């Protein structure tokens, strides 16, 4: 146990600081401080020594330099058990500092508020970071409080232990301090790297939500991020790792449809039903027809409010999660009849531009696939051009196949997915799977078009598509045997367009 006899306090945000200062004062702790923090301490009626008086220098350069001085950092880094250190602090009249309390300038908040570059740069804390690092390094002798979030817990410790701390406690707060400083520096790096684009991987997310388990019950899992900024959970059990994976896929898919009322049903991140309609209820009914079996236990999402009529229809299905931008009050009692159903009200959110994941002994990082094909992207490569209706259906199918695990094939009309072939090791097998499912659920494929996430390595896919009545095809092109697929289409009056963009998804 080590007693605190002196403390340096220099904070940006004084909220919640008064009780801690009161406790230190009652235990006779000598306080050192600067600028606004010193004035705040004086306003509470507590004695405080100005850092300027201690070091013999005023704050200079508009307050940029206040605490950066050997007397301050000597007092913090002083190793109490080393004779050489003892001799030097006596020689240079350096008072030991047992506790450092810092709350850094709000750099991230300033950036988020859209401030000017000059304002942002001035919020890069220099002295505060240095104080935190010095105190954390010397945790054997110094307690560091590196954020206002820690004031209350530190106060409880000091009150219980009569202003003493243990080595374990000091080491714990040192770890917290380096978490704070590394996160702060990462945020600054990301600000500068917006323009510099250095190929460096740095991520720091301090908000953590423990999950019930990972992908399977024997695996631990966590979510790092501020999920509350994206959703308000209105009902249901705690989100799981698999729920989050599915929701992520669902959010990306539904964003493809803009303001057109759309509904999607996903299972294991793959769309098993997608449709648009004049109402959400109509879109849901059309989406469900694509695969009502796989929809069981799925994740549902729409881009329009859920009304009472839609809620009554959805209530007939067992599902895990329903995501919508709004739930009408009349709809909620219907949907809340099952206690575990997760209802998420989605807030306006901009998805990150970059995605990353661990791979082998490192990390891979890539830009999010933000390319959505339009009619201008379609290059007609066959004698017959697709009709206007076929073009609409092809573009609709292309939005879905982009979000389906490779190798992927989607069969659809304009506004309704018929079936998909998902995650097959050959493209022809993906098409066979899609055809089988479409027939099983009673769809007439002579009305459907076909979209592929990647090129056809052989003409077998267009041959099979023609055999079941499909007359329009979309693919990126790029195979050395494209000419064979084109020739087959021309021989059988099929229309085919190339997009020039592959959409692998693994």
């Amino acid at each position: 146990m080590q007693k605190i006899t002196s403390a340096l306090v220099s904070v940006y945000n004084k909220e919640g600081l008064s009780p801690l200062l009161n406790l230190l004062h009652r235990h006779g702790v000598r306080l050192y401080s600067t600028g606004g923090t010193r004035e705040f301490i004086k306003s509470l009626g507590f004695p405080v020594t100005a850092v300027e008086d201690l070091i013999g220098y005023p704050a200079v350069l508009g307050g940029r330099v206040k605490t950066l001085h050997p007397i301050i950092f000597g007092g913090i880094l002083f190793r109490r058990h080393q004779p050489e250190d003892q001799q030097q602090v006596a020689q240079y009249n350096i008072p030991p500092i047992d506790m450092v309390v810092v709350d850094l300038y709000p750099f991230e908040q300033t950036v988020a508020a859209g401030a000017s570059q000059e304002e942002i740069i001035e919020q890069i804390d220099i002295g505060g970071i240095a104080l935190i690092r010095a105190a954390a390094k010397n945790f054997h002798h110094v307690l560091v409080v590196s954020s206002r979030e820690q004031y209350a817990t530190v106060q409880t410790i000091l009150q219980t232990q009569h202003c003493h701390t243990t080595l374990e406690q000091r080491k714990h707060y040192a770890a917290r301090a380096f978490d704070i400083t590394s996160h702060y520096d990462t945020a600054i790096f990301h600000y500068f790297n917006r323009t510099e684009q250095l190929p460096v991987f740095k991520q720091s997310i301090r908000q953590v939500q423990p999950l019930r388990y990972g992908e399977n019950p024997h695996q631990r899992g966590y979510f790092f991020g501020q999920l509350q900024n994206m959703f308000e959970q209105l009902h249901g059990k705690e989100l799981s790792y698999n729920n989050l994976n599915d929701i992520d896929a669902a959010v990306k898919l539904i964003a493809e449809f803009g303001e057109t009322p759309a509904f999607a049903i996903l299972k294991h991140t793959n769309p098993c039903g997608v449709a648009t309609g004049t109402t959400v209820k109509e879109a849901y009914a059309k989406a469900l027809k694509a695969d009502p079996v796989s929809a069981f236990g799925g994740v549902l999402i729409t881009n329009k409010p859920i009304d009472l009529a839609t809620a009554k229809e959805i209530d007939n299905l067992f599902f895990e999660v329903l995501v919508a931008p709004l739930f009408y009050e009349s709809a909620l009692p219907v949907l809340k009849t099952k206690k575990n159903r997760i209802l998420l009200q989605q807030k306006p959110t901009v998805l990150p531009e970059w995605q990353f994941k661990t791979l082998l002994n490192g990390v891979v990082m890539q830009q999010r696939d933000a390319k959505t094909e339009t009619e201008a992207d379609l290059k007609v490569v066959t004698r017959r051009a697709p009709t206007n209706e076929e073009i609409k259906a092809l573009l609709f199918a292309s939005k879905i196949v982009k979000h389906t695990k490779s190798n992927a094939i989607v069969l659809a009309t304009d506004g309704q997915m018929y079936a998909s072939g998902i995650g097959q090791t050959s493209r022809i097998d993906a098409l066979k799977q899609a055809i089988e499912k479409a027939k099983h659920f009673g769809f007439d494929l002579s009305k459907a078009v076909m979209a592929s996430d990647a090129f056809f390595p052989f003409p077998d896919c267009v041959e099979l598509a023609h055999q079941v009545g499909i007359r329009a095809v979309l693919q990126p092109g790029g195979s050395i045997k494209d000419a064979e697929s084109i020739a087959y289409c021309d021989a059988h009056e099929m229309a085919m367009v190339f997009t020039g963009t592959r959409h692998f998804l693994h």
Side-chain angles (χ1 to χ4, degrees):
M1 298 285 281
Q2 183 166 300
K3 180 174 175 58
I4 295 172
T5 61
S6 59
L8 173 62
V9 185
S10 180
V11 303
Y12 178 84
N13 193 317
K14 284 79 176 174
E15 183 180 351
L17 182 61
S18 299
L20 179 58
L21 291 172
N22 183 53
L23 176 69
L24 296 175
H25 171 67
R26 285 191 286 106
H27 282 84
V29 175
R30 182 167 188 175
L31 301 176
Y32 302 102
S33 192
T34 62
T37 307
R38 181 170 63 87
E39 292 302 316
F40 178 74
I41 296 172
K42 286 174 63 178
S43 73
L44 298 175
F46 305 146
V48 57
T49 300
V51 165
E52 295 92 329
D53 296 338
L54 181 63
I55 65 177
Y57 281 90
V60 295
L61 306 181
R64 280 188 164 195
V65 182
K66 302 191 195 87
T67 58
L68 297 170
H69 193 279
I71 288 181
I72 297 298
F73 283 86
I76 296 170
L77 291 165
F78 169 36
R79 292 164 293 189
R80 275 64 164 173
H81 61 286
Q82 290 214 3
E84 296 87 351
D85 284 15
Q86 295 170 7
Q87 179 184 350
Q88 288 185 335
V89 297
Q91 179 182 354
Y92 296 107
N93 196 27
I94 298 174
I97 296 174
D98 304 320
M99 180 179 180
V100 172
V101 183
V102 174
D103 184 64
L104 297 170
Y105 293 164
F107 177 83
E108 287 182 279
Q109 295 88 330
T110 306
V111 172
S116 68
Q117 178 175 291
E118 183 180 359
E119 292 172 309
I120 290 169
I121 296 303
E122 286 308 310
Q123 292 303 313
I124 298 177
D125 206 315
I126 303 300
I129 283 282
L131 291 169
I132 291 173
R133 288 177 62 86
K137 177 177 180 176
N138 202 23
F139 69 88
H140 279 280
H141 307 285
V142 179
L143 172 67
V144 59
V145 182
S146 52
S147 167
R148 65 179 180 273
E149 299 166 357
Q150 301 167 15
Y151 294 165
T153 53
V154 169
Q155 179 189 342
T156 300
I157 290 170
L158 297 183
Q159 189 165 353
T160 304
Q161 298 173 184
H162 307 290
C163 223
H164 287 70
T165 58
T166 66
L167 177 61
E168 291 76 13
Q169 289 165 343
R170 294 192 297 276
K171 187 175 182 180
H172 170 78
Y173 280 97
R176 286 182 172 270
F178 285 119
D179 173 37
I180 293 283
T181 58
S182 63
H183 178 81
Y184 197 80
D185 284 341
T186 299
I188 295 169
F189 168 77
H190 282 306
Y191 170 74
F192 281 94
N193 210 38
R194 289 179 179 181
T195 54
E196 299 304 315
Q197 294 293 299
L198 301 177
V200 177
F201 179 79
K202 290 184 187 294
Q203 293 293 328
S204 178
I205 305 173
R206 299 190 62 242
Q207 297 78 18
V208 59
Q209 177 179 329
L211 303 174
R212 295 199 305 273
Y213 49 80
E215 202 161 6
N216 299 291
H218 63 278
Q219 297 169 268
R220 285 186 296 175
Y222 300 90
F223 176 81
F224 291 90
Q226 295 175 297
L227 205 58
Q228 70 278 8
N229 291 350
M230 194 166 184
F231 303 104
E232 178 184 358
Q233 184 164 345
L234 304 179
H235 184 68
K237 61 185 177 181
E238 179 186 347
L239 287 165
S240 70
Y241 181 98
N242 293 327
N243 289 154
L244 292 170
N245 259 329
D246 287 335
I247 293 165
D248 176 72
V251 166
K252 291 172 183 172
L253 172 60
I254 207 69
E256 298 283 354
F257 297 97
E259 293 300 312
T260 303
F263 206 102
I265 304 169
L266 292 91
K267 197 74 170 288
H268 296 293
T269 74
N270 285 298
C272 54
V274 185
T276 57
T278 56
T279 66
V280 175
K281 181 182 176 182
E282 179 192 352
Y284 166 71
K286 289 166 64 178
L288 184 63
K289 286 181 179 178
D291 191 346
V293 176
S294 295
F296 182 87
V299 167
L300 284 54
I301 191 167
T302 181
N303 57 359
K304 294 295 179 182
I306 297 290
D307 56 20
L308 177 59
T310 307
K312 287 180 177 179
E313 287 297 317
I314 295 174
D315 185 53
N316 295 319
L317 176 71
F318 171 77
F319 62 88
E320 285 271 331
V321 183
L322 173 58
V323 183
L326 183 68
F327 291 82
Y328 290 140
E329 286 298 322
S330 58
L332 285 173
V334 175
L335 296 170
K336 288 182 177 181
T337 53
K338 305 291 190 298
K339 67 176 183 178
N340 287 330
R341 274 181 182 168
I342 298 169
L343 305 179
L344 297 179
Q345 189 159 292
Q346 186 178 352
K347 303 175 183 180
T349 309
V350 177
L351 293 173
E353 180 185 358
W354 291 89
Q355 301 170 319
F356 59 90
K357 66 177 180 179
T358 59
L359 205 65
L360 300 175
N361 61 346
V363 172
V364 290
M365 188 171 183
Q366 67 169 356
Q367 285 183 301
R368 179 168 54 89
D369 185 358
K371 172 68 176 175
T372 299
E373 277 68 42
T374 66
E375 187 171 350
D377 296 310
L378 306 184
K379 178 184 177 182
V380 179
V381 294
T382 50
R383 285 197 295 266
R384 184 176 85 80
T387 66
N388 288 335
E389 283 303 307
E390 286 172 335
I391 288 173
K392 291 177 183 178
L394 289 168
L395 291 174
F396 175 80
S398 73
K399 293 177 180 178
I400 303 169
V401 80
K402 169 185 169 183
H403 296 274
T404 304
K405 291 291 188 295
S406 303
N407 288 311
I409 294 287
V410 167
L411 308 179
T413 57
D414 179 25
Q416 185 174 20
M417 170 180 152
Y418 277 8
S420 62
I422 298 168
Q424 298 301 303
T425 52
S426 71
R427 196 152 301 279
I428 188 66
D429 283 345
L431 176 55
K432 288 176 180 178
Q433 182 189 52
I435 291 170
E436 181 182 349
K437 292 186 75 171
K439 288 183 174 180
H440 178 75
F441 292 112
F443 289 106
D444 179 1
L445 290 178
S446 67
K447 300 177 181 179
V449 301
M450 174 173 73
S452 174
D453 66 326
F455 65 62
F456 301 129
F458 307 102
D460 52 359
C461 284
V462 292
E463 292 170 8
L464 180 56
H466 170 256
Q467 291 170 19
V468 296
I470 294 169
R471 300 188 67 245
V473 178
L474 176 147
Q475 60 142 319
S479 168
I480 60 173
K481 295 191 176 183
D482 278 345
E484 295 182 26
S485 293
I486 294 170
Y488 185 91
C489 288
D490 283 340
H492 296 85
E493 296 186 351
M494 295 174 70
M496 184 160 63
V497 296
F498 285 1
T499 65
T501 303
R502 188 183 72 185
H503 290 290
F504 271 170
L505 182 64
H506 296 101

